[in-house]
Amino acid sequence: MTSAPKQLTGRHVALIFVSAFTVIIGVNLTLAYNALSTFPGLEVKNSYVASQTFDENRAAQQALGWSVLAQARGDDVVLSITNSAGRPVEVNELEATLGRATHVRDDQTPAFVFDGTAYVAPATLAPGNWNLRMKAVADDGTVFQQRVILHVPRAKS
């Protein structure tokens, strides 16, 4: 005796359909929650106010002729600021935040010290991309702000 094969009924199809979409929607909601809870997405507190002086600030910053480069060397972050002639620049003030682009969990505030050619600070850096959000003040009071990308390669095995 053989038993008759089970039939796929409308009720089964509806159950499969609802189950599949429940999983998809659940995963999407989880991912959306994690994305919103770990990334503040805030560059400036009020974009309208920031836009009112953007062109003036950019022109003043470009007039300085500075170039900025960040590098990881061992357990240090090296921030090179050079003028249009390629000479190192020592600024009046320097503030910086070093962190990931996607969350603030790894944010650090490096204590940069000018060594005569560049600013050096100890930092704990895992491999991957980092952002160094810096704000420097020139001798004439001009504020120079820039987000510098820092790539830390994986250690070779």
Side-chain angles (χ1 to χ4, degrees):
M1 282 195 157
T2 61
S3 63
K6 291 190 176 187
Q7 287 190 332
L8 183 62
T9 65
R11 177 178 238 161
H12 291 122
V13 172
L15 187 60
I16 292 169
F17 183 79
V18 169
S19 298
F21 274 96
T22 301
V23 170
I24 291 169
I25 291 170
V27 169
N28 283 337
L29 289 174
T30 302
L31 291 174
Y33 172 78
N34 287 331
L36 292 174
S37 66
T38 59
F39 180 56
L42 183 66
E43 284 288 330
V44 294
K45 290 181 181 169
N46 187 327
S47 59
Y48 176 75
V49 171
S51 73
Q52 299 305 297
T53 58
F54 179 83
D55 289 331
E56 295 168 22
N57 294 344
R58 181 186 58 192
Q61 196 166 299
Q62 287 175 337
L64 291 172
W66 291 356
S67 296
V68 179
L69 174 67
Q71 296 175 314
R73 291 190 192 150
D75 291 334
D76 291 333
V77 174
V78 179
L79 179 65
S80 302
I81 304 173
T82 55
N83 62 18
S84 56
R87 292 192 200 94
V89 173
E90 186 173 4
V91 300
N92 276 353
E93 296 175 34
L94 178 62
E95 298 173 17
T97 302
L98 181 64
R100 300 284 192 177
T102 54
H103 56 78
V104 296
R105 179 177 54 236
D106 295 334
D107 280 6
Q108 307 171 40
T109 305
F112 283 109
V113 176
F114 189 66
D115 70 359
T117 58
Y119 289 88
V120 181
T124 305
L125 299 173
N129 287 327
W130 292 80
N131 285 335
L132 181 67
R133 293 177 294 282
M134 61 160 285
K135 179 179 177 182
V137 179
D139 290 336
D140 66 359
T142 303
V143 176
F144 184 92
Q145 297 183 58
Q146 191 166 350
R147 180 174 46 103
V148 184
I149 307 279
L150 170 65
H151 179 73
V152 178
R154 293 192 185 279
K156 296 177 183 175
S157 41

